[in-house]
Amino acid sequence: MSRRALITGITGQDGSYLAEHLLELGYEVWGLVRGQANPHVSRLRKHIGDVQITTGDLLDQGSLISAVERVQPDEVYNLGAISYVPMSWQQAELTAEVTGMGVLRTLEAIRVVSGISPSRTPDREQIRFYQASSSEMFGMVRETPQNEKTPFHPRSPYGVAKSYGHYITQNYRESYGMFAVSGILFNHESPRRGAEFVTRKVSLGAARIKLGLATELRLGNLDARRDWGYAGDYARAMRLMLAQDAPEDYVIGTGQTQSVRELVEFAFRTAGLNWEDHVVLDAKYTRPAEVDLLCADPKKAREQLGWEPEITFEGLVTMMVESDLRLLSESARPEDEPFSPDHW
């Protein structure tokens, strides 16, 4: 019998890579979406293939219980969130409800369907739960690099909501004996990344300028440093966490950092351009509270999961720029891509 997985946020970047990976491993894959009429579902199926869909909403407890009852999954991956950090200041309450409370509702759905209570612990074949935690929880970092024991100091409503989701996952594991883990993933990108994220904004900007569709790219803080990896590599880590004998949390990253300036320089060089001729600094893209440096210590994942990233930073940026050059050569509307930022 193949294992059955339910993925929230399946129409986003991470959901699409995870679905592909699980299908390759022989899983039956289900995706949770907020309505069968969602236009991203048909686009997802064209790219991913044999994915089944059920409806549900991270804002609605009853719909999540119904979805878990219908699918009867072996594994649940909660990737659904309002994941664009700048938007979390504009919609702080919604971010808290979806990105934070949505985790609680998903855990509750699993607990209720499984009949778990303080007096009834799960059996061996219980549903296993993965929560997509984030390096944004570290925020104003206390130490570098950051590992599983580094204290959190989030600097955005998104980071605060992710911290709640992380702790409530830990709480359900300790209170009910549920197999519930969090992957603290550092920045992970790909050609499927939403156009609003800085890595994709840069690769699209370089491609547009190269093709004569634009003359400048406006950006904010070029000095912020991030640990950037490839989203497909990180999807492998998610599945490995749920394949362990015991539930534990893991930091996932490359252990290397680059500045936004280095990202821009390499992307423009890949497109055959000098970035200084085209990039304009614009204060409106500066965060109210900046996170200056994030760098992972993935030692635990390397030793216990056997996980290593396969794509380098240079390989990732090259992949994204070349993909966007092809995309824009065929169509000037990247918003028609199948992997929507509205994926919760």
Side-chain angles (χ1 to χ4, degrees), residues 197-219:
F197 290 86
V198 67
T199 47
R200 189 72 194 292
K201 184 177 180 180
V202 168
S203 64
L204 275 170
R208 285 193 174 105
I209 293 168
K210 179 67 174 180
L211 296 172
L213 300 173
T215 59
E216 68 177 28
L217 173 63
R218 305 186 78 85
L219 294 171

Side-chain angles (χ1 to χ4, degrees), residues 310-321:
E310 296 178 354
I311 304 296
T312 64
F313 172 77
E314 292 78 10
L316 170 64
V317 177
T318 300
M319 177 197 308
M320 293 179 68
V321 172

Side-chain angles (χ1 to χ4, degrees), residues 78-313:
N78 183 43
L79 311 185
I82 293 178
S83 56
Y84 183 47
V85 176
M87 185 183 293
S88 73
W89 277 282
Q90 300 166 16
Q91 296 182 291
E93 183 178 351
L94 183 60
T95 299
E97 284 288 346
V98 175
T99 307
M101 290 295 292
V103 186
L104 172 62
R105 296 185 187 104
T106 306
L107 286 163
E108 268 294 284
I110 294 170
R111 187 188 69 78
V112 169
V113 172
S114 303
I116 299 169
S117 68
S119 61
R120 185 182 182 278
T121 57
D123 58 33
R124 251 183 112 255
E125 301 304 317
Q126 66 168 300
I127 298 172
R128 298 189 169 202
F129 174 77
Y130 171 86
Q131 165 58 16
S133 288
S134 168
S135 60
E136 288 285 332
M137 301 185 307
F138 295 122
M140 186 181 289
V141 298
R142 309 282 185 88
E143 60 186 10
T144 298
Q146 296 88 50
N147 60 37
E148 293 80 7
K149 296 182 180 179
T150 301
F152 298 153
H153 187 149
R155 298 268 283 171
S156 66
Y158 169 80
V160 172
K162 280 291 187 181
S163 298
Y164 174 83
H166 182 88
Y167 282 128
I168 200 65
T169 299
Q170 183 181 82
N171 184 259
Y172 269 58
R173 179 171 70 222
E174 295 174 355
S175 299
Y176 298 110
M178 293 172 63
F179 196 109
V181 306
S182 290
I184 307 174
L185 271 57
F186 281 64
N187 294 65
H188 45 288
E189 318 297 327
S190 77
R192 300 177 188 176
R193 187 52 128 169
E196 71 276 21
F197 290 86
V198 67
T199 47
R200 189 72 194 292
K201 184 177 180 180
V202 168
S203 64
L204 275 170
R208 285 193 174 105
I209 293 168
K210 179 67 174 180
L211 296 172
L213 300 173
T215 59
E216 68 177 28
L217 173 63
R218 305 186 78 85
L219 294 171
N221 180 12
L222 299 184
D223 296 321
R225 301 186 67 86
R226 293 291 184 270
D227 184 330
W228 277 302
Y230 172 54
D233 286 340
Y234 291 44
R236 291 188 291 107
M238 298 176 196
R239 205 282 306 181
L240 286 170
M241 290 180 212
L242 294 194
Q244 302 306 299
D245 292 334
E248 295 187 39
D249 302 328
Y250 295 87
V251 160
I252 303 296
T254 70
Q256 301 177 1
T257 68
Q258 288 82 24
S259 67
V260 176
R261 181 177 281 101
E262 290 172 292
L263 164 68
V264 171
E265 181 180 6
F266 190 82
F268 274 70
R269 186 163 69 245
T270 300
L273 300 167
N274 180 1
W275 72 274
E276 293 177 306
D277 295 336
H278 303 284
V279 173
V280 177
L281 298 183
D282 190 332
K284 80 176 184 180
Y285 295 113
T286 302
R287 293 183 182 186
E290 184 59 87
V291 174
D292 296 315
L293 172 64
L294 292 174
C295 181
D297 176 3
K299 179 181 178 181
K300 181 179 176 182
R302 184 172 59 249
E303 294 181 350
Q304 294 189 17
L305 302 180
W307 178 86
E308 293 276 4
E310 296 178 354
I311 304 296
T312 64
F313 172 77

